[in-house]
Amino acid sequence: VRNILLCSTFSLAVLVSAVAVKADGPSLVPEPLAQTTTRTDARSVKTDMLVPFSQSKPDMRLIGEDDTRHLTFFLSPEQALSGGRLRLAYTNAVSILPDGAMMSATVNGHAIGDIPIRSPQTVLATELPLAPGTLVAGWNTVRLRAQQQHRVDCSIGAAYELWTQVDPVTSGFLAETASDASDLASLITVGRTAQDETEIRVITAPGELARDAGRSLEAVQTLALLLGRQDLRIAFAETEGNGPGIDLFVGDALTPALSPAARQVLSNSPNGLSARQMGDGRVRVVLRGANDQALSSALVSALNGPLQPVLASRRALTKQPVIDASSSRRVNLAEAGYETAPFAGRLFRASFDLVMPEDFYPGDYGSIDLKLNGATAPGLAPGAQVLVRVNERAVTSHVLYDPEGVTLKEKALALSLRAFHPGVNKVEILAELPTEADQACDPTARSNAPRFLLLEETGLVIPELARVGRMPDLASLVARAYPFNHDKALDLVVDAATPGRLSTAVTILSRLALASGHPLPGHLVIGSPDPSLATNALVITAGRRDLAMTNVPPAKGSRPAAGRIDGLTTASVVSASGTSPAASASDSQALMDAFQVQTAMDTDRMSWTSRLSSGIQHLADMVDRWLQYQDVTEAPRSIRPADALVTLGQDSRADGAIWTVITAQDEADLLRGAGVLLDPVHWGTLKGGKATVLRSDLSIVTETPAAFTFYPLTDLSLGNLRRLAAAWLSDHFVIYVGLVLLFIGSFGLWLGYIVPRKGVRTVE
Amino acid sequence: MRKPRLPVGLLAQTAIGLLMLVQSGLAASLVPELVSASPAPQAKAAGEPVAVAPDAVELAALYYYAREGQMGRVEREKKRLSLKFPGFVEPEDLFQPAPEFSVDERPLWQLYEADDFTGIEAAVTQLALDNPGWQPSQDFRDKLARRKLRFDLTAAQTAGDSAKVIALGQALDPQSEMEVDLLWTLIAACRSQSQTEAMVPVYQGILFRKPGTELPDDVIMTTLQMAVQDFPARELRKVIALLSVKPELADRMKGLTLDLIRRDIADFAADEAGAVDTPAPESVLAVRRSADLGHHSADQTLLGWYYLKLDRLDEAETWFRKAFEGEPQIESLQGLTLTLDRAKKRDQAFALVSGHLDLLGDKADSFLDILSYAFQTDAETPAEQKPIDPKLAEIYAQAIQSSQSAEHAVLIGWYAYNARQFQAAKAWFAKSAEWKPGSDSIKGMALAAVQMKDMGALEALKSRYADTYPEIFAELKKPVAPKGGSAGTVGEPARDNQARYVTSFRNKRYGDCLADLERLASRGNLSAEAQLIRGWCHLELNHLAEARAAFQWALAGNVAKADDAIYGLGLSLLRAHMTDDLEALLTSRPLSEARAKELRAEMLWQKAEIAFNNKDYEITLVNLNARLQIAPEPVGMTQMRAWAHYHLGNLKQSRTIFAELNQIVDDPANRRGLTAIQDRMGIKQ
């Protein structure tokens, strides 16, 4: 019946437009409910201007029993003077005990109030008044601390079920004065879409997509740097959009082929960079200039003029939970925004990002020492321990169990440098603090007595690092835009000028600009990269086989480009008819594997030599994985070519140029897969040599490269060479062991040779 | 007799609005509120009274753990809740209303079960006679009213009288109605009359109820599925977000995703304002999957419209064809022909439609353009080369008449003319000129007259149109001969074939009627007759201002049935309580006596009522007296007269009237009046 009903509706909807509801038609939501806080409504009842936080969704999630986040927002001087309200819209895990669950907010160091955490099913908006005195013109920092407990489960693992997610779309500062509608700095207040993204929509002239996209690269990167948001998405369209976002016009009124609307916008705007609030979180940004030089200089003068405060005061922001490890020194947690506070829960958690230099070489040649300063309360149960996890993997631990309490003073825990990789590393200090009472978990016997205290004097001692850049490495690409972060030219190669491909390409470019901290000198190329030029390239291909790598003649002395880039993806680029040799080859491999598993001999029927060799092989694999801090789950996975949605890989060429390549079968796949890759949750965690988004479950599979290519050494000091040698040997431990044995053996031989000949003299 | 009606819908909406305001206060826990936290929220904890029952937030985890099958946690959560809220009862046992029955009225109940309402009336009178002072129990009266309402509603629905369903439905309170099928009937009626706004309170009443009186999840789900047809997806998403407080329901509502996607795509394809920009590829993929898997012709048709909208004609054609081949339906046929037409494959479109003439039914007028393909005579295909199916000709002719398309009438006229069927040609040209005069139709008429050698008719045409279209009559000097012999016979326009809007109006499909008129109006001005029908349709749907305007246009266009138009205008003024305007209308325009009397009587009664409510008793009496001059007075009005006298201090007169009334009808109101008067007179004495 429903289908019939639906069918008739559609025919009605399609044919008799009179039946359907008008845009401003009646609302199904009752009036009193409409004024509450579902995300769309929260925006519609807005009377003041919402200045959103610049952080993206993953940075607004408070996890565990006690967690802290730092959020920032930008205010004009008038807004800072007039004050307003801090709106926090959030939802939380259903398991959070409503009694006593609190989120406390501090703005620029002033405590402004606590909010009870009780909204397990919907997004609930809560507002806290902010007096003008607590605010400053420029960037303001909000420190959110959530304290939450589990309703019924007192185990350590249950602490991971606790989370409170602040909604990036509807949260922020509600300013009582709207900033001047034409103030350039007000573009910082652009809202987010319902998909939690900040959209920059570049308005292109009909039929001139490639020209306008190429011209907008610098402006887009500048906007990305100003906004500093990880959830940016760049779109290309011919008309302005609706809802929150930025419409970017680049060019001049005299530019040929403009649509009449765009021509009017451009001709009504002043020369240079200007912005205008269009309401509903939408901002129109116009960069007007007659040619590329004029556009560039307009950007520079805007950055030195009205946008100066945005950049300058961002630099002044301190206490971000990020530690830079590029130089050898000691860093205390206080510098990463950690504040000492007694902890009363079961699982203590303090986390920060440790940013390794892009040419950092991981290995077992040294360690970062964590100097713990803290104490536990008496009465903890056996099993209490401190754990340090790096990139979600436990690296070291220390037992805390002592019935009378433990005091830690500069207690050193070594974190092997092999556990880190270039770029952003997430370090978590965890303390598991069970007590006897937790076993019973009696709701009447809940106690809020503190169990642990970690002092902010706890520090990290960062040693000298072995430094040599190597390829491929996605982690240093996403964290530092390495190797594009130099002033060397960068070709942005797209196989066809379509809005979807350009959107992916330019979105990635803007992320790289954010990572490197300055606009990259990108140049848009439609077609295939020019192999004769030694230019770095970011290549986006979506199934245009004629333009794919296959027809690029291999540069002399280099390996064939097609095979080098990624045999798997070129196989997937071939249309999915299932007859392509590459696809069938891979299928044959799978069949072969299955065959071998099925027909494997019982071990006791094998010859002792093969048993021994397979045993040694197994052992070596295990040691290797253990050495590399790899889980079994991270062992290389074979991906069916048809299952690869989008692949991101890197390829270095003989002439020293580096191509970072994104491949997909068609544009729809590209958009879907790039959406997953570019999601701030995933983008920052990319690592290894190649990342593939699977079609089946949209998960990302990372592949560790089989071999690295090294860049020429920049640091030729003896210390660095020594560390590199040590690191290399730690990677190739068989050679190390062989060398040791060789030395000992040759010493023995030498002794055997020399003693009979020279005799032994006894010293009397 | 048409009785003026109060705009009940408006009142009901206001009442529900107020109710919801009150309710939202109570429902604070169900619905997220914009909490403006006080500067010192910590202070709250100390003096706060202990809550007696857990709210939705406290209970949320209980539902969640149960759904996840974590029974150990359910038990511990129950223990926690009963510690925090002494006397906590599990949610399942919260409501169980015990039914109540009265034994005295068993025969009444039997009649009640048999839906014998006249029998009940007789039985009640008999019982009341036998047992003085007895009245049916409140329970019975309430239930009887309900039963009668249900009976009438169902009867009206079966009869397809959606206007009556809507009128009867005003007695339902969507906020408390437990028999949801009645509300659903009401929604369906509103939908068939295109009254989306009237649906809103009904939907809200079902979906958003006070905590504790919520309807079962099944009902909510069914209602949401219905709402997908009536409201845009974004509206529904808001509703779903609000309803997601209940974890189980939230989970079930995920099942609506595909429906919402369908709606999104339909809105996009229909170019609906506020529709999604472009449906996400995943959404389209989901529908494609459903269309491929289930071979749902509805989904296939939907995809057809979607691709047609995107101008991807090949794909649109494929989908429409799939849908049509799976299940030949008018809608997929329509899409297919539209696609083919746009792809410049008119011949294919025509072949398709002419192969499925049976399917067209009363929708034939949407296929006019394609049907006309056979009748278009151009240089390459003269008329004689196209043998025309007589059935096709008949359907085409009917469609032209029901849509009153002047252009197509001319087309068929020329076809008949070229086939030397001058009588038919003339008739069609005349129809065309009647609907929309134009040079083509006049020229056709003149040529037909020439060919039929009907000089009288030609002269008549000349005298009437020579000034407007001189060129036609100039060309007549060298008349164009018809092109050839008979290819198919064209009948004359049928006499009793009504325009579609008239049929819709007759069948009480007022929404359709207005839609038909809208379409007609988009092609040119509406005739005065059409305006008259439009007025009635608007009046039936309670669109008073529009009705008034339509009647006025009809009058301005010198409609033949001026009396009807004035009467309609009077009724619309009356319903809008514009008594002064009505008075002016009655004095300025002639109206048949019976209708004038009816309008005047109602107007005076309205005036009296307003005056009485304003405590203007003199004026009440004046109006009642004036009314008494022209119409007999029902009991209720006489009671008002008596009360007016009472308030003016004319106690004696008042008592006489009440006493008289008491003789005629036995009504507690009269006795109450008499008692009041006696009290007051006693005090006076």
Side-chain angles (χ1 to χ4, degrees):
Chain A
V1 171
R2 207 178 87 213
N3 280 327
I4 298 169
L5 281 173
L6 275 174
C7 164
S8 61
T9 323
F10 295 141
S11 57
L12 280 175
V14 173
L15 301 174
V16 190
S17 58
V19 174
V21 189
K22 296 170 213 103
D24 53 349
S27 162
L28 250 190
V29 181
E31 214 35 50
L33 297 196
Q35 284 170 9
T36 56
T37 52
T38 51
R39 56 172 35 187
T40 36
D41 298 321
R43 242 177 287 163
S44 65
V45 296
K46 161 187 85 173
T47 48
D48 320 72
M49 183 177 174
L50 180 71
V51 182
F53 297 121
S54 60
Q55 279 68 19
S56 60
K57 196 169 181 178
D59 292 332
M60 296 197 180
R61 197 176 176 88
L62 297 126
I63 303 165
E65 290 165 306
D66 192 336
D67 198 7
T68 305
R69 293 279 158 182
H70 292 87
L71 309 177
T72 51
F73 59 92
F74 183 84
L75 292 185
S76 69
E78 306 85 62
Q79 286 173 328
L81 272 179
S82 61
R85 284 160 294 149
L86 187 71
R87 178 191 279 176
L88 295 168
Y90 72 95
T91 182
N92 59 275
V94 74
S95 283
I96 290 180
L97 180 70
D99 315 311
M102 279 289 173
M103 185 151 61
S104 28
T106 314
V107 174
N108 299 329
H110 306 271
I112 55 159
D114 295 345
I115 300 165
I117 299 176
R118 29 184 310 130
S119 178
Q121 300 294 349
T122 55
V123 177
L124 175 69
T126 308
E127 293 178 2
L128 294 169
L130 279 184
T134 51
L135 298 167
V136 294
W139 289 97
N140 290 262
T141 308
V142 180
R143 182 175 182 270
L144 286 184
R145 179 183 179 202
Q147 287 165 289
Q148 43 205 18
Q149 280 190 313
H150 201 285
R151 290 190 193 228
V152 291
D153 197 336
C154 305
S155 64
I156 299 285
Y160 289 105
E161 292 176 30
L162 307 177
W163 52 264
T164 297
Q165 175 74 57
V166 177
D167 177 35
V169 180
T170 47
S171 301
F173 175 73
L174 281 173
E176 275 166 14
T177 3
S179 58
D180 181 5
S182 57
D183 179 14
L184 197 48
S186 76
L187 68 89
I188 301 294
T189 63
V190 62
R192 285 184 174 87
T193 64
Q195 286 77 40
D196 303 327
E197 291 172 332
T198 305
E199 185 200 58
I200 297 182
R201 182 188 274 240
V202 181
I203 310 296
T204 57
E208 293 287 352
L209 182 58
R211 177 198 74 187
D212 289 357
R215 184 177 277 185
S216 69
L217 294 183
E218 205 177 348
V220 166
Q221 294 184 76
T222 309
L223 287 183
L225 286 166
L226 278 173
L227 290 168
R229 297 190 191 179
Q230 295 292 339
D231 49 20
L232 269 187
R233 190 173 58 80
I234 320 295
F236 291 89
E238 290 173 9
T239 51
E240 290 185 76
N242 300 314
I246 289 180
D247 290 312
L248 175 64
F249 292 83
V250 178
D252 195 47
L254 299 173
T255 315
L258 282 182
S259 71
R263 195 178 299 282
Q264 195 179 359
V265 169
L266 281 167
S267 58
N268 288 343
S269 304
N271 266 324
L273 190 66
S274 59
R276 174 157 289 278
Q277 297 278 347
M278 306 301 287
D280 199 19
R282 196 146 196 102
V283 183
R284 177 193 285 165
V285 178
V286 181
L287 177 61
R288 186 175 170 182
N291 51 38
D292 289 354
Q293 274 93 34
L295 293 175
S296 273
S297 62
L299 276 178
V300 171
S301 64
L303 286 176
N304 291 330
L307 294 175
Q308 179 67 22
V310 179
L311 294 173
S313 84
R314 159 122 16 86
R315 270 182 230 116
L317 274 183
T318 49
K319 298 217 170 169
Q320 289 299 308
V322 176
I323 294 176
D324 182 13
S326 54
S327 58
S328 169
R329 61 191 176 119
R330 177 181 169 128
V331 189
N332 282 350
L333 292 190
E335 292 173 44
Y338 175 79
E339 289 177 19
T340 306
F343 176 75
R346 297 172 189 88
L347 182 70
F348 172 86
R349 200 170 144 274
S351 68
F352 51 88
D353 287 344
L354 189 69
V355 184
M356 286 295 190
E358 57 269 30
D359 54 357
F360 159 67
Y361 188 99
D364 282 323
Y365 57 93
S367 61
I368 294 180
D369 281 344
L370 176 66
K371 302 277 191 185
L372 278 178
N373 285 296
T376 65
L380 292 187
Q385 60 172 343
V386 169
L387 267 176
V388 182
R389 300 204 306 176
V390 178
N391 298 324
E392 310 284 329
R393 200 161 299 127
V395 171
T396 183
S397 66
H398 174 67
V399 174
L400 289 177
Y401 173 58
D402 182 340
E404 293 175 1
V406 184
T407 306
L408 302 166
K409 198 157 186 210
E410 293 288 285
K411 168 71 197 166
L413 296 182
L415 314 176
S416 166
L417 284 175
R418 182 180 293 288
F420 297 85
H421 56 65
V424 178
N425 294 270
K426 192 175 175 211
V427 181
E428 285 172 289
I429 303 172
L430 303 170
E432 296 181 352
L433 308 158
T435 61
E436 293 295 342
D438 290 347
Q439 300 278 327
C441 200
D442 184 357
T444 50
R446 278 178 190 277
S447 110
N448 276 333
R451 301 188 186 188
F452 184 64
L453 182 73
L454 183 74
L455 297 175
E456 56 192 27
E457 284 78 30
T458 296
L460 287 176
V461 181
I462 298 164
E464 289 288 348
L465 304 172
R467 298 179 71 153
V468 59
R470 51 177 201 172
M471 261 272 310
D473 192 344
L474 296 181
S476 56
L477 173 79
V478 298
R480 307 288 287 231
Y482 189 67
F484 302 138
N485 53 357
H486 304 296
D487 287 335
K488 227 174 134 186
L490 163 67
D491 278 349
L492 194 60
V493 184
V494 179
D495 61 351
T498 61
R501 285 165 209 205
L502 285 170
S503 161
T504 307
V506 183
T507 306
I508 293 177
L509 184 71
S510 68
R511 291 283 169 87
L512 295 179
L514 264 181
S516 66
H518 57 80
L520 305 178
H523 172 66
L524 185 67
V525 177
I526 307 294
S528 48
D530 186 349
S532 62
L533 295 176
T535 322
N536 288 339
L538 178 65
V539 186
I540 315 280
T541 57
R544 290 285 299 277
R545 192 153 182 248
D546 50 329
L547 294 174
M549 302 298 103
T550 40
N551 64 349
V552 177
K556 203 173 177 188
S558 76
R559 282 155 289 185
R564 281 285 288 115
I565 292 277
D566 162 10
L568 193 88
T569 37
T570 26
S572 76
V573 167
V574 179
S575 70
S577 56
T579 53
S580 69
S584 59
S586 171
D587 284 351
S588 314
Q589 186 57 47
L591 278 175
M592 174 70 96
D593 292 347
F595 173 79
Q596 282 175 341
V597 167
Q598 263 183 1
T599 58
M601 263 200 277
D602 279 343
T603 34
D604 40 79
R605 281 171 53 204
M606 287 157 105
S607 68
W608 69 271
T609 40
S610 47
R611 245 187 286 172
L612 189 68
S613 74
S614 77
I616 290 173
Q617 184 61 46
H618 180 70
L619 210 66
D621 283 354
M622 225 167 68
V623 171
D624 222 28
R625 272 208 294 274
W626 172 74
L627 275 176
Q628 302 277 345
Y629 285 95
Q630 278 181 351
D631 291 336
V632 182
T633 49
E634 273 199 10
R637 254 171 85 175
S638 70
I639 303 166
R640 281 187 307 110
D643 199 24
L645 191 66
V646 158
T647 309
L648 168 65
Q650 280 186 315
D651 174 38
S652 75
R653 296 170 44 78
D655 51 18
I658 288 134
W659 290 359
T660 298
V661 186
I662 292 188
T663 2
Q665 201 162 330
D666 55 42
E667 185 162 321
D669 281 2
L670 177 72
L671 282 175
R672 191 150 161 250
V676 177
L677 278 180
L678 288 166
D679 186 326
V681 180
H682 302 136
W683 181 252
T685 62
L686 293 180
K687 59 182 180 185
K690 189 165 80 171
T692 308
V693 182
L694 298 190
R695 189 185 299 278
S696 43
D697 57 355
L698 291 183
S699 63
I700 299 179
V701 177
T702 318
E703 279 175 54
T704 318
F708 290 101
T709 318
F710 292 93
Y711 295 109
L713 275 177
T714 45
D715 180 2
L716 285 173
S717 66
L718 207 59
N720 194 35
L721 291 177
R722 181 191 65 76
R723 288 188 291 272
L724 279 175
W728 189 85
L729 282 176
S730 75
D731 274 349
H732 304 89
F733 77 106
V734 181
I735 296 175
Y736 177 72
V737 171
L739 275 177
V740 169
L741 289 178
L742 192 73
F743 277 127
I744 294 171
S746 49
F747 180 68
L749 282 177
W750 176 76
L751 272 184
Y753 173 80
I754 209 80
V755 169
R757 276 164 187 74
K758 299 275 175 182
V760 179
R761 190 180 60 180
T762 317
V763 180
E764 290 173 23
Chain B
M1 188 176 99
R2 283 175 192 281
K3 282 254 172 202
R5 267 203 316 248
L6 279 172
V8 191
L10 195 81
L11 277 178
Q13 275 180 20
T14 340
I16 292 167
L18 282 171
L19 206 78
M20 275 179 323
L21 270 173
V22 174
Q23 181 212 334
S24 74
L26 299 171
S29 60
L30 238 190
V31 171
E33 268 196 338
L34 204 63
V35 190
S36 213
S38 58
Q42 294 93 332
K44 216 170 92 185
E48 198 180 41
V50 180
V52 281
D55 60 9
V57 174
E58 293 280 359
L59 287 175
L62 202 56
Y63 286 108
Y64 176 78
Y65 295 144
R67 200 184 66 217
E68 298 281 302
Q70 302 173 334
M71 296 321 285
R73 284 187 167 186
V74 170
E75 287 309 315
R76 268 182 279 168
E77 178 71 353
K78 274 190 212 159
K79 193 173 152 201
R80 182 186 77 81
L81 286 169
S82 46
L83 270 173
K84 186 170 177 187
F85 306 97
F88 160 72
V89 197
E90 278 180 54
E92 285 82 5
D93 304 333
L94 281 180
F95 18 74
Q96 278 298 326
E100 230 177 76
F101 290 103
S102 167
V103 209
D104 298 339
E105 303 162 343
R106 208 174 295 169
L108 292 181
W109 284 110
Q110 280 163 359
L111 292 166
Y112 166 90
E113 289 301 333
D115 284 336
D116 182 356
F117 299 111
T118 38
I120 290 175
E121 221 162 284
V124 167
T125 323
Q126 191 57 44
L127 278 172
L129 278 177
D130 294 350
N131 311 292
W134 174 86
Q135 277 185 332
S137 65
Q138 189 64 42
D139 177 53
F140 181 78
R141 273 183 292 171
D142 290 351
K143 289 214 167 80
L144 179 64
R146 300 278 320 162
R147 183 80 168 201
K148 192 143 172 24
L149 184 62
R150 168 175 281 277
F151 184 81
D152 292 346
L153 261 174
T154 321
Q157 186 207 7
T158 331
D161 187 350
S162 45
K164 191 172 174 196
V165 174
I166 295 176
L168 287 168
Q170 303 302 339
L172 298 171
D173 175 11
Q175 278 292 322
S176 58
E177 181 58 62
M178 291 312 285
E179 293 171 43
V180 185
D181 60 323
L182 294 181
L183 295 177
W184 288 342
T185 312
L186 180 57
I187 288 176
C190 290
R191 183 181 305 130
S192 69
Q193 298 281 15
S194 321
Q195 288 190 306
T196 313
E197 265 160 68
M199 289 181 202
V200 172
V202 187
Y203 271 121
Q204 287 180 349
I206 302 176
L207 297 173
F208 301 101
R209 291 207 169 174
K210 287 183 218 175
T213 62
E214 293 102 335
L215 291 165
D217 291 356
D218 288 333
V219 171
I220 304 251
M221 284 300 293
T222 316
T223 311
L224 283 173
Q225 274 159 8
M226 296 173 85
V228 175
Q229 308 172 46
D230 299 320
F231 293 90
R234 72 190 142 79
E235 200 58 52
L236 284 161
R237 292 208 170 93
K238 279 188 219 166
V239 171
I240 288 175
L242 283 169
L243 288 177
S244 296
V245 183
K246 257 174 109 178
E248 284 162 20
L249 187 57
D251 208 39
R252 289 188 62 182
M253 283 190 299
K254 284 182 190 138
L256 286 172
T257 317
L258 193 58
D259 290 341
L260 290 179
I261 288 177
R262 289 194 180 112
R263 176 76 207 210
D264 268 338
I265 296 179
D267 285 353
F268 168 74
D271 234 349
E272 213 49 60
V276 278
D277 223 7
T278 321
E282 300 92 271
S283 308
V284 180
L285 199 66
V287 176
R288 274 184 85 130
R289 210 165 284 152
S290 155
D292 275 336
L293 280 182
H295 304 291
H296 283 157
S297 68
D299 281 340
Q300 291 166 341
T301 314
L302 176 64
L303 285 170
W305 289 120
Y306 168 73
Y307 286 118
L308 183 61
K309 160 84 182 161
L310 292 182
D311 227 19
R312 283 156 66 175
L313 298 177
D314 287 352
E315 261 163 296
E317 187 184 333
T318 316
W319 284 110
F320 279 131
R321 219 174 259 289
K322 264 190 205 166
F324 190 67
E325 277 159 12
E327 195 180 342
Q329 276 187 335
I330 182 89
E331 199 205 335
S332 40
L333 180 63
Q334 202 156 13
L336 191 51
T337 46
L338 206 60
T339 314
L340 290 171
D341 189 28
R342 211 183 282 176
K344 309 260 182 306
K345 298 182 195 161
R346 289 203 74 185
D347 47 342
Q348 283 185 36
F350 175 72
L352 190 76
V353 172
S354 56
H356 295 90
L357 287 177
D358 295 336
L359 211 58
L360 302 190
D362 61 349
K363 287 261 178 75
D365 46 353
S366 353
F367 292 89
L368 265 181
D369 285 333
I370 294 296
L371 287 172
S372 74
Y373 183 70
F375 295 87
Q376 282 167 0
T377 46
D378 48 63
E380 292 100 56
T381 49
E384 65 269 19
Q385 286 180 10
K386 282 194 201 165
I388 285 179
D389 182 3
K391 194 167 166 212
L392 176 74
E394 189 192 329
I395 288 182
Y396 185 48
Q398 274 172 8
I400 293 175
Q401 276 189 287
S402 80
S403 67
Q404 300 199 343
S405 161
E407 295 79 11
H408 285 280
V410 168
L411 210 66
I412 198 172
W414 283 123
Y415 182 83
Y417 178 81
N418 284 330
R420 310 197 66 83
Q421 297 168 22
F422 302 118
Q423 194 60 41
K426 185 182 150 199
W428 279 111
F429 287 130
K431 270 281 168 214
S432 171
E434 178 192 327
W435 292 329
K436 192 180 172 187
S439 66
D440 249 13
S441 48
I442 308 299
K443 184 176 168 190
M445 269 155 78
L447 276 173
V450 170
Q451 292 294 337
M452 288 162 74
K453 309 213 165 27
D454 185 353
M455 288 310 145
L458 187 61
E459 281 310 313
L461 278 173
K462 216 180 242 179
S463 63
R464 194 161 159 206
Y465 293 111
D467 292 342
T468 335
Y469 307 107
E471 72 281 358
I472 294 176
F473 296 95
E475 280 172 22
L476 274 187
K477 306 263 159 47
K478 34 179 181 162
V480 188
K483 280 178 189 156
S486 168
T489 323
V490 177
E492 285 179 43
R495 241 154 244 273
D496 55 345
N497 206 337
Q498 291 160 343
R500 200 156 122 189
Y501 68 87
V502 181
T503 325
S504 299
F505 176 63
R506 291 263 157 85
N507 296 337
K508 300 191 172 177
R509 297 192 315 259
Y510 305 116
D512 288 351
C513 162
L514 289 177
D516 295 339
L517 285 166
E518 203 62 48
R519 259 201 304 271
L520 211 55
S522 66
R523 290 206 303 265
N525 284 334
L526 288 181
S527 68
E529 273 72 22
Q531 288 286 11
L532 180 61
I533 299 289
R534 188 174 173 184
W536 286 119
C537 286
H538 275 306
L539 189 61
E540 287 295 342
L541 294 177
N542 236 352
H543 304 158
L544 297 179
E546 290 90 338
R548 220 160 48 230
F551 285 124
Q552 271 160 353
W553 272 322
L555 280 174
N558 286 326
V559 70
K561 297 176 191 158
D563 199 53
D564 274 6
I566 297 169
Y567 181 59
L569 184 56
L571 282 178
S572 49
L573 289 171
L574 206 54
R575 273 198 213 165
H577 300 292
M578 295 162 71
T579 43
D580 296 341
D581 295 65
L582 178 59
E583 205 157 6
L585 176 79
L586 287 176
T587 47
S588 62
R589 292 273 189 173
L591 187 62
S592 64
E593 198 183 333
R595 284 173 163 181
K597 208 163 99 181
E598 183 198 326
L599 285 180
R600 203 179 291 278
E602 289 297 342
M603 176 188 77
L604 290 168
W605 164 234
Q606 244 180 37
K607 280 187 168 177
E609 208 178 2
I610 293 167
F612 188 85
N613 289 338
N614 291 340
K615 300 197 165 61
D616 239 340
Y617 303 110
E618 297 271 9
I619 298 179
T620 309
L621 283 179
V622 169
N623 280 307
L624 283 179
N625 287 339
R627 192 185 176 285
L628 196 56
Q629 306 283 319
I630 53 170
E633 195 166 67
V635 177
M637 292 189 196
T638 317
Q639 279 172 352
M640 181 186 276
R641 176 189 294 280
W643 282 114
H645 278 303
Y646 171 85
H647 287 299
L648 286 171
N650 310 331
L651 293 184
K652 270 188 190 162
Q653 219 159 344
S654 176
R655 189 173 58 174
T656 325
I657 299 172
F658 273 127
E660 254 173 49
L661 275 177
N662 209 14
Q663 300 284 314
I664 307 165
V665 276
D666 179 47
D667 188 342
N670 294 334
R671 287 196 291 275
R672 210 168 46 242
L674 282 174
T675 331
I677 293 163
Q678 266 148 18
D679 279 359
R680 194 159 157 195
M681 287 173 97
I683 292 161
K684 277 206 156 181
Q685 285 156 7

